[in-house]
Amino acid sequence: MSKLGPNKEEYEKILLMFSGGLDTSCMIKWLQENYKSKIYTFTADLGQEFADPSRFDEIEEKAANLGAVKHFTIDLKDKFVNEFVFPTIKANGLYQGIYPLSTAIGRPLIAIEAIKIAKQEKIQTIAHGCTGKGNDQIRFNVTIRAYAPDIEILQPLIEWDMGRDEEIKYAQYHGIPIKKENKKYSIDENLFGRSAECDILEHPEIEPPEDCNAWTTSPENAPDTPEYIQIDFEKGVPVSLNGVTINSVELIRNLHNIGCKHGIGRVNHMEDRAIGLKSREVYEVPAASILIKAHKDLEKFVCTKHENSFKTIVDQRWTELIYEGLWVDPLRDALESFINVVNQKVTGNVKLKLYKGSATVVSRESPYGLYDLNLATYDTNSNFNQKYSYGFIPLWGLQSEIGFQVKNTINSIEKLKKNSQATKLNYEYIRKNKFVKK
Ligand code: ARG
């Protein structure tokens, strides 16, 4: 099994998953100093640099300036969206009903790609910038251990004794440039969302300050007129926006931009981490909020109530598995088999109204829709035979009514016992008399 390091004094080569942020920048220097290693760096492009893709060049330059021997930027946007984000949409993946797994679902992909680079460059050791307290360490480590048992994993944040302030000092001492917002928050971004942690956000009793958001307009400042959009789905996957079929990455980007403009998807979550810690998390997830809301609505429209209720259970289990870093678990495949079967008929369109922070579904259409106007209408021309009600209700309520009555009977016996008349009363007598036809 792959070892969780460090198990040696020195490592010849280390592949570092490098975001260009404060932690992993300090790490290049620290790994060089501590393990006398050649550092290779890898940055996964999951679409995090919305405004400015040239940031990847900056990251590469930064790695080189800090002495990395070779840097890899790999464009994983298509893969990320098609193989990780879309399954999340099909599973209506909202952890604890609110967090659309944006960070969580990117992690297995990044780990798998890191392993590929490590194998190609004959590197035996992978390092990453996760703490020993969070979920990301589980997601990276379990995926790497499952795919590449021979690789050793280093987690400097567990080893070095630096808090964020010490890291900033360490960075200043080594001439490592730090972005202004890096000083405050720990950020993770990709096409599907942005997570912010640390600083004042660690105080759940305080409202997150405006500066922890980088993408969305505040709902107060969003346009005063609502915007209507239409999303078309095919087999559970979004294929077009406002009637125009576009590539999946572009679709998410466009929804992101529209959502940001209307202040959609700001999440302030009191979260239960996998290891049991409670943490306050702040997210901006405009595209994810819109897509999951639209998908769930359409799915409900085409599924029976039995499918809908069981799907909720399956979705929640899938979501927890992803959140808790067990993407490799065979249970995921089993759950996805069910999820995919249900999604075969999630085809149609959903219209939403976006207005000052809220995305509301206003209408849906599908050839698979189970809604029947003729049956549902309250107009008198409905084919629905309301007289069935006389037969249906006594049977539907049978057990519930009996259960209720038994409980009441027992309660009244208990009351009578307390009133000391109880001895005169026979429990069976009361019980029988409650249920016989009069
Ligand atoms: N709590 C979230 C999760 O576990 C987000 C973690 C994001 N990491 C960060 N450095 N902000 O998926």
Side-chain angles (χ1 to χ4, degrees):
M1 288 303 262
S2 50
K3 288 159 271 168
L4 295 169
N7 292 298
K8 291 194 282 194
E9 299 274 295
E10 288 183 17
Y11 291 87
E12 190 209 336
K13 298 171 171 181
I14 297 174
L15 175 66
L16 171 66
M17 298 186 191
F18 184 61
S19 67
L22 176 63
D23 292 335
T24 52
S25 296
C26 292
M27 231 163 262
I28 297 186
K29 282 280 168 221
W30 192 85
L31 289 168
Q32 287 165 339
E33 282 178 355
N34 275 267
Y35 299 124
K36 321 256 173 305
S37 313
K38 280 191 208 147
I39 308 299
Y40 293 67
T41 45
F42 159 49
T43 305
D45 173 3
L46 302 188
Q48 58 269 50
E49 301 302 342
F50 277 101
D52 181 13
S54 73
R55 263 276 292 148
F56 287 112
D57 299 336
E58 269 174 48
I59 293 175
E60 178 162 4
E61 208 180 299
K62 195 170 187 184
N65 289 341
L66 293 170
V69 295
K70 197 165 173 185
H71 177 83
F72 299 84
T73 302
I74 315 262
D75 180 354
L76 297 170
K77 292 192 282 290
D78 278 308
K79 215 177 189 138
F80 177 53
V81 170
N82 293 309
E83 295 173 31
F84 294 83
V85 168
F86 283 178
T88 307
I89 294 170
K90 287 185 184 178
N92 303 304
L94 290 176
Y95 179 65
Q96 300 194 313
I98 195 164
Y99 162 47
L101 299 175
S102 45
T103 291
I105 195 63
R107 298 314 196 191
L109 173 60
I110 298 174
I112 292 165
E113 292 302 317
I115 294 165
K116 283 188 195 159
I117 297 171
K119 301 262 169 200
Q120 175 195 310
E121 299 294 321
K122 306 204 170 12
I123 302 172
Q124 280 300 314
T125 313
I126 295 182
H128 59 70
C130 298
T131 68
K133 287 183 163 186
N135 301 310
D136 288 332
Q137 56 168 346
I138 313 176
R139 298 164 185 156
F140 282 144
N141 296 353
V142 172
T143 312
I144 294 171
R145 287 164 60 87
Y147 272 76
D150 51 324
I151 278 180
E152 185 168 342
I153 303 166
L154 295 180
Q155 228 170 308
L157 276 174
I158 299 183
E159 298 301 318
W160 72 32
D161 214 10
M162 295 194 281
R164 245 182 133 63
D165 290 344
E166 285 90 26
E167 278 183 40
I168 290 168
K169 280 186 203 134
Y170 183 90
Q172 281 160 348
Y173 179 78
H174 285 89
I176 300 167
I178 0 174
K179 277 207 317 194
K180 222 168 104 211
E181 67 268 29
N182 265 341
K183 288 196 177 129
K184 264 183 159 179
Y185 306 118
S186 162
I187 302 294
D188 179 67
E189 290 177 344
N190 63 42
L191 270 171
F192 210 45
R194 179 178 191 271
S195 321
E197 294 174 324
C198 298
D199 201 65
I200 197 78
L201 303 178
E202 290 180 347
H203 301 268
E205 71 283 7
I206 296 171
E207 182 179 355
E210 191 52 37
D211 73 353
C212 73
N213 300 298
W215 289 355
T216 50
T217 308
S218 76
E220 292 88 335
N221 294 330
D224 292 327
T225 33
E227 180 168 349
Y228 288 84
I229 57 167
Q230 177 179 321
I231 304 170
D232 279 67
F233 288 86
E234 244 174 66
K235 300 189 177 180
V237 159
V239 290
S240 74
L241 180 59
N242 294 329
V244 183
T245 303
I246 33 170
N247 144 291
S248 46
V249 170
E250 282 317 301
L251 188 140
I252 304 244
R253 267 191 208 286
N254 290 355
L255 265 182
H256 167 91
N257 291 333
I258 300 171
C260 284
K261 181 169 122 198
H262 291 279
I264 312 287
R266 288 190 173 191
V267 173
N268 171 356
H269 187 210
M270 205 54 239
E271 193 163 297
D272 287 302
R273 287 197 189 153
I275 62 164
L277 282 174
K278 292 234 179 250
S279 78
R280 138 80 91 71
E281 304 281 328
V282 173
Y283 302 103
E284 288 176 278
V285 282
S289 301
I290 296 171
L291 280 166
I292 293 177
K293 192 165 262 184
H295 174 270
K296 193 165 187 170
D297 184 279
L298 188 62
E299 188 179 79
K300 272 180 87 180
F301 184 51
V302 302
C303 286
T304 66
K305 71 171 177 179
H306 308 291
E307 288 176 300
N308 281 327
S309 92
F310 191 63
K311 179 88 177 6
T312 307
I313 298 168
V314 174
D315 286 350
Q316 190 183 332
R317 200 64 202 85
W318 184 91
T319 301
E320 283 171 1
L321 214 53
I322 302 303
Y323 182 84
E324 291 169 354
L326 302 178
W327 184 85
V328 295
D329 196 289
L331 177 61
R332 181 177 59 84
D333 301 322
L335 297 175
E336 282 180 9
S337 300
F338 172 80
I339 291 170
N340 287 331
V341 168
V342 170
N343 272 281
Q344 285 298 310
K345 56 187 172 185
V346 185
T347 293
N349 72 67
V350 178
K351 292 196 183 75
L352 300 106
K353 178 179 177 175
L354 311 181
Y355 180 63
K356 291 201 176 286
S358 72
T360 319
V361 172
V362 292
S363 64
R364 74 289 291 157
E365 284 176 303
S366 168
Y368 298 97
L370 300 184
Y371 176 82
D372 185 332
L373 176 63
N374 189 282
L375 294 177
T377 182
Y378 285 111
D379 284 354
T380 44
N381 59 1
S382 170
N383 281 344
F384 188 94
N385 183 351
Q386 298 198 47
K387 296 232 160 61
Y388 287 164
S389 168
Y390 295 140
F392 169 71
I393 286 172
L395 294 180
W396 178 249
L398 184 68
Q399 284 207 0
S400 307
E401 290 170 24
I402 293 176
F404 181 80
Q405 287 165 353
V406 167
K407 187 181 74 191
N408 273 0
T409 307
I410 290 171
N411 283 349
S412 37
I413 292 170
E414 294 300 321
K415 253 191 211 149
L416 286 171
K417 269 190 195 160
K418 268 195 197 139
N419 292 341
S420 84
Q421 293 180 32
T423 39
K424 291 182 216 150
L425 288 162
N426 177 312
Y427 169 78
E428 274 308 308
Y429 174 81
I430 294 180
R431 199 182 147 90
K432 271 183 201 146
N433 274 290
K434 273 250 164 202
F435 293 108
V436 289
K437 247 198 214 166
K438 297 229 171 79

